[in-house]
């Protein structure tokens, strides 16, 4: 899934959310859907199909600027392919209090192959940039309060899930941000070949690729594909919500083929699910993926 503006101002828009499959949906029975946590008035939403070279790649959701309750566009959007493959993306408000500094998802790896091990390899810091009042920030998982303060400690496997960060009493008005914590079943460099069993990977993912949790395949960032992400796709093309494995590098779709898409992929956030999580398109970084590396 991809959005053109992962961090959104209250009057910016329209907002485009895409749910796409890089291999193309040739079977009319196959399709992807987009849902949001919370209702958006029907008069603000338009939907459409992404078609290029007579191939259906998925669908998009176009959300216009509301006149009232401008926080309703923020939150979690979920793309689903055939009720199976799912990926989340978070549209967060522009706010200094909740500055996640471009972090959308965090992946944690256990330190050993022991299935009962609860100690994890440290990740990049999970938290918000310091601002006045940040020590009153509340971290919630669903309706459960799990922490108060600018940083979150995640020591257990149960840490996986979607977290909402908000100031007390402000969350219902849109003043909150969300991120997803992904917990691997096995240490880095291993994959789960059966429940409770970890096997060392036979290949190293290159070019920013990440090994899938339950297989020896690599998930590859655009524009790469192949067993190890060693193959580069044609210049200017990107696979969005790409389930890249060895046979799917034929996927072809330009950012400019998307309604609201930028030719250079500026502002594009790619969310793959599995252990890859969400990352800016290659060459971009920042809260809104708006800055060149």
């Amino acid at each position: 899934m991809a959005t053109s503006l992962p961090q959104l101002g209250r009057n910016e828009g329209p907002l485009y959310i895409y749910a796409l499959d890089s291999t193309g949906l040739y079977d009319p029975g196959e399709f992807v859907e987009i849902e949001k946590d919370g209702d958006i008035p029907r008069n603000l939403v338009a939907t459409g199909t992404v078609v290029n070279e007579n191939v259906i790649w998925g669908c998009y959701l176009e959300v216009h600027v509301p006149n009232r309750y401008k926080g309703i566009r923020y939150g979690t959007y979920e793309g689903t392919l055939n009720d199976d493959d799912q990926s989340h993306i978070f549209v967060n408000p522009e706010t200094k209090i909740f500055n996640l500094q471009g972090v959308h998802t965090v992946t944690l790896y256990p330190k050993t192959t022991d299935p009962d091990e609860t100690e994890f390899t440290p990740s990049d810091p999970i938290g918000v940039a310091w601002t006045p009042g940040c020590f009153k920030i509340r971290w919630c998982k669903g309706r459960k309060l799990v922490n108060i303060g600018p940083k979150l400690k995640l020591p257990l496997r149960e840490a996986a899930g979607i977290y909402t960060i908000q100031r007390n009493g402000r969350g219902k008005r849109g003043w909150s941000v969300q991120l997803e914590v992904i917990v691997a079943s096995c240490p880095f460099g291993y994959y789960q070949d059966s429940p409770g069993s970890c096997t060392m990977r036979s290949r190293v993912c290159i070019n920013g690729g990440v090994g899938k949790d339950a297989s020896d395949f690599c998930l590859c960032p655009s524009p790469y594909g192949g067993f190890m992400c060693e193959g580069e796709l044609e210049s200017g093309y990107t696979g969005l919500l790409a389930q890249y494995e060895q046979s799917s590098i034929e996927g072809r779709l330009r950012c400019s083929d998307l309604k609201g898409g930028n030719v250079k992929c500026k502002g594009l956030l790619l969310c793959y699910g599995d252990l890859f999580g969400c990352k800016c398109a290659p060459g971009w970084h920042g809260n809104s993926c708006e800055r060149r590396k």
Side-chain angles (χ1 to χ4, degrees):
M1 189 192 304
T3 175
S4 58
L5 287 171
Q7 189 182 69
L8 192 68
R10 293 226 153 192
N11 295 311
E12 272 187 86
L15 168 70
Y16 294 96
I17 308 289
Y18 313 104
L20 308 166
D21 180 72
S22 66
T23 60
L25 305 172
Y26 300 96
D27 182 352
E30 288 187 315
F31 213 73
V32 286
E33 298 177 338
I34 305 173
E35 294 183 349
K36 184 184 181 296
D37 63 335
D39 295 329
I40 298 179
R42 290 183 178 272
N43 64 316
L44 294 180
V45 177
T47 59
T49 303
V50 179
V51 180
N52 183 42
E53 296 182 356
N54 298 319
V55 177
I56 298 174
W57 297 96
C59 61
Y60 68 85
L61 187 68
E62 180 181 357
V63 187
H64 295 275
V65 181
N67 292 324
R68 300 176 63 194
Y69 309 113
K70 293 188 176 181
I72 61 175
R73 296 190 299 172
Y74 305 138
T76 305
Y77 292 80
E78 181 179 84
T80 304
L81 173 63
N82 295 334
D83 298 321
D84 187 14
D85 294 323
Q86 294 181 336
S87 182
H88 298 95
I89 199 167
F90 310 104
V91 178
N92 290 324
E94 289 183 341
T95 166
K96 293 181 179 179
I97 291 290
F98 302 122
N99 181 9
L100 290 175
Q101 306 173 83
V103 175
H104 304 282
T105 51
V106 176
T107 300
L108 302 178
Y109 292 88
K111 286 190 172 181
T112 75
T113 58
D114 182 354
D116 296 324
E117 177 61 64
T118 59
E119 188 174 1
F120 286 80
T121 301
S123 68
D124 292 334
I126 304 172
V128 297
W130 189 91
T131 57
C134 69
F135 287 99
K136 297 181 181 180
I137 288 175
R138 298 162 56 90
W139 297 71
C140 298
K141 187 178 180 185
R143 296 184 177 181
K144 182 180 179 181
L145 175 67
V146 296
N147 190 58
I148 297 178
K151 303 292 182 182
L152 176 64
K153 295 181 180 180
L154 297 167
L156 303 174
R157 291 181 185 272
E158 290 75 17
I162 297 173
Y163 290 80
T164 300
I165 310 164
Q166 64 188 45
R167 292 177 71 181
N168 195 21
R170 302 294 297 275
K172 291 184 179 180
R173 290 194 280 171
W175 289 105
S176 62
V177 297
Q178 293 171 305
L179 62 81
E180 182 175 16
V181 174
I182 301 168
V183 176
S185 302
C186 298
F188 187 82
Y190 291 77
Y191 70 95
Q192 182 176 259
D193 57 352
S194 62
S197 176
C198 297
T199 298
M200 183 176 293
R201 297 189 182 277
S202 64
R203 57 177 63 88
V204 176
C205 303
I206 60 176
N207 291 320
V210 175
K212 298 187 70 173
D213 194 38
S215 82
D216 201 15
F217 293 123
C218 298
L219 279 172
C220 308
S222 304
Y224 299 100
F227 282 105
M228 300 166 53
C229 309
E230 75 284 1
E232 187 170 356
L233 304 182
E234 294 179 14
S235 177
Y237 284 80
T238 179
L240 308 176
L241 191 68
Q243 303 299 325
Y244 275 136
E245 294 185 6
Q246 76 279 13
S247 62
S248 62
I249 62 170
E250 65 270 16
R252 298 286 188 272
L253 191 66
R254 291 177 299 238
C255 294
S256 57
D257 292 329
L258 304 175
K259 185 175 182 181
N262 183 287
V263 174
K264 297 179 180 179
C265 295
K266 177 181 178 181
L268 197 67
L269 183 68
L270 306 176
C271 294
Y272 296 75
D274 209 293
L275 298 180
F276 200 101
C278 296
K279 303 186 188 322
C280 294
W284 299 92
H285 70 111
N287 281 324
S288 293
C289 304
E290 79 289 0
R291 299 166 61 189
R292 275 287 191 187
K293 287 188 175 180

